[in-house]
DNA sequence: CACTTATGTCCGATATACTGTACACCTTGC
DNA sequence: GCAAGGTGTACAGTATATCGGACATAAGTG
C-alpha cells in the first residue's frame, strides 16, 4: 500500500481563506479524518497540516491526541500516520448494529464467489453515493472499486434505487445540479433521471451502461429495511461488453439473493 | 439489537471528580466514542452526558457536531444516537490498509464455515486483548464473542502469542498486575504466564482451557507480519468438553491455514 | 391536578485551546 | 561550510469553546 489510490489532486480541504481562521479542535479532527479518508494512504503530519489548512502546531497537538486514543496509528518509521484500531472497532460497531449485516456480507461474498465478478455493497452518505464494501473480480481484468469514495448519485445504477423512497420534488431538492454532469461532460436531464428512479421502483432493480465511465455495466438490486425503504443495495460491476445472456443470468442471481435479505428490520 | 451486551455496569467513565472540570472538545469526543463502544447500543444524549460526566449543554453541542459529520447517527425516533456511516468508512480504511486483510478475513470465514465452530480474529489494543472480528458457531449452543471488548491479555490463549515478540522484562512492564487475576478469582503466577509465552513462541500456537471462563477451550495461531512479529491471531473458541481428537483436528486446520497468511508484509 | 424528571435550546462569563512564533535538531544540496 | 527545508517541541496571548444555569416543552406518576 505505497501508492495513493488516485492521481494525487492535492487540493486543500479548508484553505479557501488562506488567512488564519481559528477553528475548534473537533472541527479540525473531522476535517483531518475526512482528508485521510480521501487520501487513502498514511500521511505525515506536516502534509496533513498543509492539506487541511491548519497550523502545524495545532496539527501536531491533535494528531498526538488521536494517536493516544488509537484513532490514529503511526505507520512505518518516518512519521506517517493513518487510521488506528479504535476506528476499526467503531466502524464494526456501526455495521453490526444492524443485526442482519453479517448475512448481507455473506451474500456479497457468495455473489462475488459464484459469479467471479466484482460485487459491491452500496449506500448513501449525505447526498452522495458511496461503496460500503466490495469483493473484487477474480478475473485478469479487474474492475476494482474504491470503498468510501463519494460519487454523485446520478452516476450510478444503485443511486437510482437509493432514491426510490423520495418524491420527485424531494429528489430535485436533494441532488445538487452539478451532480447530473457525468465525468465525460454529458449531462443527464433531470426528467430522465426522475424517470429512471420511477422505473427502478417499478422493476425492483436498476441497470446502467457506461454511465460513470465507458467500461462498466452495472446491475443493482435493493435491500429493503423494516419500513420498506431502500437504504442499501447490492450490485455487480461488469465489463461493458458482457454478453446479454450472461447479464440476464447475473441479474437473476443478484435479484434473487438480494430479495432474500428483504423484510428485515433495521 | 435491543439488549446491552453485558449486564449494564453503569460506571461513569470520567466522573472520578464529580466537580466540574473543564475539558476540551477533542477529549470529550474520544471519551464519548469509547463510552458508546462499551455500551454497544444507541444511547440518548442525556444518558451519554451522565455516563461520560460532561455537562448536558456541552454534550448536545458535541453530539450535534458529530451527527453533522456522520460520525454519529440518530437511531429510532426518540433521540438515540450511535456510530454513523463515516465510522464504517474510517474503519474499513484502517483494516484494508493492510493489503492482505481480505485474505485474512477470507481465512476466518473458511475456518468458521468448514468447522462450524466459533472463530475469531484477535489483536491488541494498548495493553489489552480485543477481538477484531468473529464468525459465530452455527451450532445450537453458540459461544458468541464480543468484538471490541477489551480483555486482560493473560485471560486468553491469543494473548500469549501476541506477546511472543517481547522479552520477559518487557512483558512484566507491559501487563498490569491486576490483569493476572482471572474472573473467578484465581491468579496466574507471572512466571507461569512468561513460561506460557515462551511455550507459545516455541510451538507456534497457543492453547488454553477454562481460562477466562469455565466453558471454553481456546486454540490460537499467529499471523506474522513482515518483520516476523505477531500482531494478529486467529483462534477457535470451543466448548470445553470438545473431544481431544476433534481438538487436534481443528488445531491442525487452524495452524495450516493461518501459516499460509505468514510472510506477508504489513 | 400538582409534582417530578426528562429533552432540547439559548446565553453570558471566563478558563483555556488554539495559534503564531521561536527554537533545536536533522537531512539534503551545492 | 552554509543555506534551505524538513521535523518535533515549547510557550505566551487572546479569541472563543466550554460551562452552568435558565427556559419552554413534554412525558410519566400518584
Amino acid at each position: 500500500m505505497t501508492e495513493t489510490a488516485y492521481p494525487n489532486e492535492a487540493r486543500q480541504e479548508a484553505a479557501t481563506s488562506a488567512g488564519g481562521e481559528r477553528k475548534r479542535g473537533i472541527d479540525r479532527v473531522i476535517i483531518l479524518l475526512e482528508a485521510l479518508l480521501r487520501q487513502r494512504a498514511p500521511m505525515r503530519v506536516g502534509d496533513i497540516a498543509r492539506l487541511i489548512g491548519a497550523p502545524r502546531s495545532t496539527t501536531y497537538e491533535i494528531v498526538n491526541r488521536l494517536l493516544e486514543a488509537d484513532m490514529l496509528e503511526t505507520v512505518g518509521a518516518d512519521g506517517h500516520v493513518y487510521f488506528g484500531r479504535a476506528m476499526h472497532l467503531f466502524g464494526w460497531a456501526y455495521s453490526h448494529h444492524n443485526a442482519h449485516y453479517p448475512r448481507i456480507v455473506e451474500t456479497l461474498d457468495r455473489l462475488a464467489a459464484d459469479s467471479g465478478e466484482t460485487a459491491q455493497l452500496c449506500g448513501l452518505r449525505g447526498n452522495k453515493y458511496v461503496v460500503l464494501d466490495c469483493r473484487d473480480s477474480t478475473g485478469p481484468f479487474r474492475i476494482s472499486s474504491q470503498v468510501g469514495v463519494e460519487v454523485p448519485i446520478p452516476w450510478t445504477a444503485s443511486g437510482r434505487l437509493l432514491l426510490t423512497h423520495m418524491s420527485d420534488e424531494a429528489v430535485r431538492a436533494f441532488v445538487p445540479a452539478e451532480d447530473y454532469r457525468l465525468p465525460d461532460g454529458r449531462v443527464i436531464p433531470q426528467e430522465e433521471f426522475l424517470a429512471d428512479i420511477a422505473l427502478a421502483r417499478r422493476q425492483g432493480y436498476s441497470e446502467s451502461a457506461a454511465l460513470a465511465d465507458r467500461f462498466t455495466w452495472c446491475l443493482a438490486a435493493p435491500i429493503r429495511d423494516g419500513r420498506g425503504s431502500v437504504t442499501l443495495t447490492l450490485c455487480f460491476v461488469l465489463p461493458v461488453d458482457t454478453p446479454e445472456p450472461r447479464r440476464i443470468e447475473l441479474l437473476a442471481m443478484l435479484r434473487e439473493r438480494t430479495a432474500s435479505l428483504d423484510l428485515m428490520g433495521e
Side-chain angles (χ1 to χ4, degrees), chain A residues 1-261:
Chain A
M1 189 95 17
T2 53
E3 75 264 315
T4 53
Y6 272 153
N8 192 339
E9 30 167 338
R11 67 175 147 167
Q12 315 236 114
E13 305 281 327
T16 42
S17 68
E21 274 183 26
R22 197 185 174 118
K23 273 219 175 99
R24 61 174 174 169
I26 300 192
D27 293 332
R28 298 282 191 206
V29 168
I30 291 168
I31 294 169
L32 191 160
L33 295 175
E34 293 290 344
L36 260 190
L37 181 64
R38 279 201 226 164
Q39 210 69 13
R40 303 198 78 73
M43 284 199 279
R44 279 177 305 175
V45 184
D47 296 326
I48 296 176
R50 208 170 321 109
L51 185 63
I52 69 177
R56 251 162 32 84
S57 55
T58 305
T59 309
Y60 272 103
E61 173 69 24
I62 290 177
V63 166
N64 286 331
R65 186 69 189 85
L66 293 179
L67 285 171
E68 249 179 78
D70 225 356
M71 291 177 60
L72 295 182
E73 208 171 272
T74 60
V75 175
D78 46 356
H80 287 79
V81 298
Y82 202 53
F83 296 108
R85 196 152 277 185
M87 288 302 191
H88 172 86
L89 300 176
F90 298 154
W92 200 97
Y94 166 78
S95 334
H96 290 258
H97 172 241
N98 177 348
H100 303 290
Y101 185 77
R103 254 199 281 186
I104 294 174
V105 171
E106 195 193 316
T107 303
L108 179 66
D109 281 332
R110 295 217 329 274
L111 282 172
D114 295 351
S115 70
E117 307 286 351
T118 293
Q120 303 179 328
L121 173 66
C122 311
L124 295 183
R125 183 172 179 210
N127 59 10
K128 294 285 186 285
Y129 157 100
V130 291
V131 178
L132 296 171
D133 203 348
C134 71
R135 298 292 179 274
D136 284 346
S137 155
T138 52
F141 300 107
R142 265 217 277 287
I143 297 173
S144 73
S145 52
Q146 286 292 334
V147 168
V149 174
E150 297 186 359
V151 173
I153 298 173
W155 295 13
T156 68
S158 291
R160 285 152 176 77
L161 286 167
L162 291 164
L163 299 188
T164 48
H165 64 288
M166 287 189 180
S167 67
D168 284 6
E169 193 183 5
V171 171
R172 271 191 282 262
F174 188 65
V175 178
E178 63 269 26
D179 284 7
Y180 292 94
R181 175 177 296 273
L182 297 175
D184 62 3
R186 280 147 56 210
V187 174
I188 301 174
Q190 194 175 58
E191 292 313 312
E192 190 181 313
F193 182 57
L194 292 172
D196 282 356
I197 295 173
L199 180 64
R201 183 163 33 221
R202 273 200 312 280
Q203 289 183 149
Y205 70 89
S206 182
E207 196 167 8
S208 71
L211 204 55
D213 61 67
R214 280 172 303 136
F215 317 107
T216 55
W217 188 299
C218 293
L219 307 176
I223 304 176
R224 286 175 217 286
D225 66 14
R227 293 174 307 286
S229 299
V230 177
T231 54
L232 297 171
T233 66
L234 286 171
C235 74
F236 277 127
V237 182
L238 310 173
V240 73
D241 59 359
T242 305
E244 187 175 6
R246 170 73 170 156
R247 291 200 316 258
I248 290 173
E249 173 197 8
L250 289 171
L251 178 60
M253 180 196 294
L254 178 68
R255 293 190 64 192
E256 180 188 346
R257 301 205 183 161
T258 305
S260 76
L261 297 169

